[in-house]
Amino acid sequence: MSLNAPVVTVDGPGGAGKGTVSLRTATVLGWHYLDSGALYRALGLLATRNEIALNDEPALVKLAKNLELEFRNDQVLLDGEFVDRLIRSEQAGDRASRIAPLAGVRRALLDWQRACAKPPGLVADGRDMGSVVFPAAICKIYLTASAEARAKRRFNQLRLKGFDVNIRQLFEEITERDQRDANRPVSPLRPAEDAFLLDTTELTIEQAVEEVLKLVQSALDLSE
Ligand code: C5P
């Protein structure tokens, strides 16, 4: 599969800093950014609104094929409606990870995601960006952090967005979601073979971005 533009993939479990690090990296490079988790979260929301069970694969595939999603700055629009608040809760993340194991759903979202690889380049964040969606990416990064650090970050992030959260409960939800993502047979959460592993437990966001930019720069130098 050849790509229309260079792609950098940033995969890893929830709360490892993927979103912030990827968005900042994309901004520094002047590249596009794909938050693939938002697709699964938006689909989960759409399913709930349409009273479709989260294991009804044929109905979910149909929804996925017709998903009208748009990213505008850091806001997500579903059928023209701003849905950020509705898809950012931990409950929405849980719903997303229940539909994400369905092979048909994942297949239906492939073209949409691949179409995001446009010049001058794309930074894509998710679980299977490097392993499945963009196997030809020029630089693949797998961000991790301890479960405690990830729960703490998610806690701060959600609090900042005005959600009422409990850190203990969040820790349990995050580890449960990790288990589900890592143990599914289709596109499990796992580093691509050629991915660089970056543990962000002891790093600030700025330091993590700096590390990622160094990796991207050497990949770009090599690809010239
Ligand atoms: O990254 P985020 O927390 O928004 O993802 C929500 C859920 O969507 C994940 O827990 C995972 O189950 C699913 N997902 C996925 N593949 C991706 C991105 C997200 O399976 N590329």
Side-chain angles (χ1 to χ4, degrees):
M1 188 193 72
S2 71
L3 293 166
N4 293 331
V7 174
V8 170
T9 59
V10 184
D11 290 302
K18 289 184 314 277
T20 318
V21 169
S22 305
L23 182 58
R24 288 204 195 171
T25 302
T27 307
V28 172
L29 295 168
W31 288 10
H32 301 282
Y33 165 59
L34 167 65
D35 165 11
S36 65
L39 270 78
Y40 293 90
R41 287 171 180 262
L43 194 59
L45 172 66
L46 208 54
T48 307
R49 282 182 168 176
N50 286 282
E51 295 180 11
I52 291 171
L54 299 180
N55 59 0
D56 183 347
E57 189 162 6
L60 290 167
V61 167
K62 215 164 150 191
L63 278 190
K65 283 187 175 158
N66 296 302
L67 193 66
E68 285 291 336
L69 202 68
E70 189 194 330
F71 291 95
R72 207 177 285 167
N73 301 321
D74 59 348
Q75 295 283 316
V76 181
L77 285 95
L78 174 65
D79 292 324
E81 172 193 350
F82 286 97
V83 290
D84 238 74
R85 236 203 112 64
L86 296 169
I87 63 166
R88 292 301 167 200
S89 66
E90 202 44 39
Q91 187 201 12
D94 182 79
R95 217 161 36 196
S97 84
R98 288 177 194 278
I99 56 173
L102 302 172
V105 168
R106 303 198 74 84
R107 244 189 336 266
L109 295 175
L110 267 182
D111 287 348
W112 199 102
Q113 295 175 87
R114 288 183 175 151
C116 295
K118 289 187 201 137
L122 173 74
V123 180
D125 112 44
R127 303 290 184 289
D128 61 342
M129 296 295 101
S131 53
V132 176
V133 183
F134 299 111
I138 58 154
C139 180
K140 301 180 185 179
I141 294 159
Y142 189 86
L143 282 195
T144 54
S146 70
E148 287 78 10
R150 295 190 286 113
K152 218 159 138 192
R153 282 184 199 154
R154 258 290 146 81
F155 177 76
N156 291 334
Q157 241 174 25
L158 290 172
R159 279 264 297 256
L160 214 65
K161 289 188 176 165
F163 288 104
D164 184 18
V165 276
N166 169 302
I167 189 143
R168 203 61 251 157
Q169 195 185 341
L170 206 55
F171 178 81
E172 275 158 27
E173 282 167 356
I174 278 190
T175 40
E176 189 190 319
R177 188 141 67 91
D178 287 352
Q179 291 289 327
R180 204 179 303 134
D181 289 348
N183 292 319
R184 64 186 181 210
V186 187
S187 300
L189 167 66
R190 193 163 300 160
E193 268 174 32
D194 45 352
F196 294 100
L197 261 64
L198 183 60
D199 189 324
T200 65
T201 308
E202 305 292 336
L203 300 183
T204 61
I205 289 291
E206 289 71 25
Q207 288 168 327
V209 173
E210 207 175 299
E211 289 304 313
V212 167
L213 283 170
K214 274 190 221 157
L215 291 169
V216 175
Q217 196 51 58
S218 28
L220 284 172
D221 291 345
L222 281 176
S223 70
E224 270 173 10

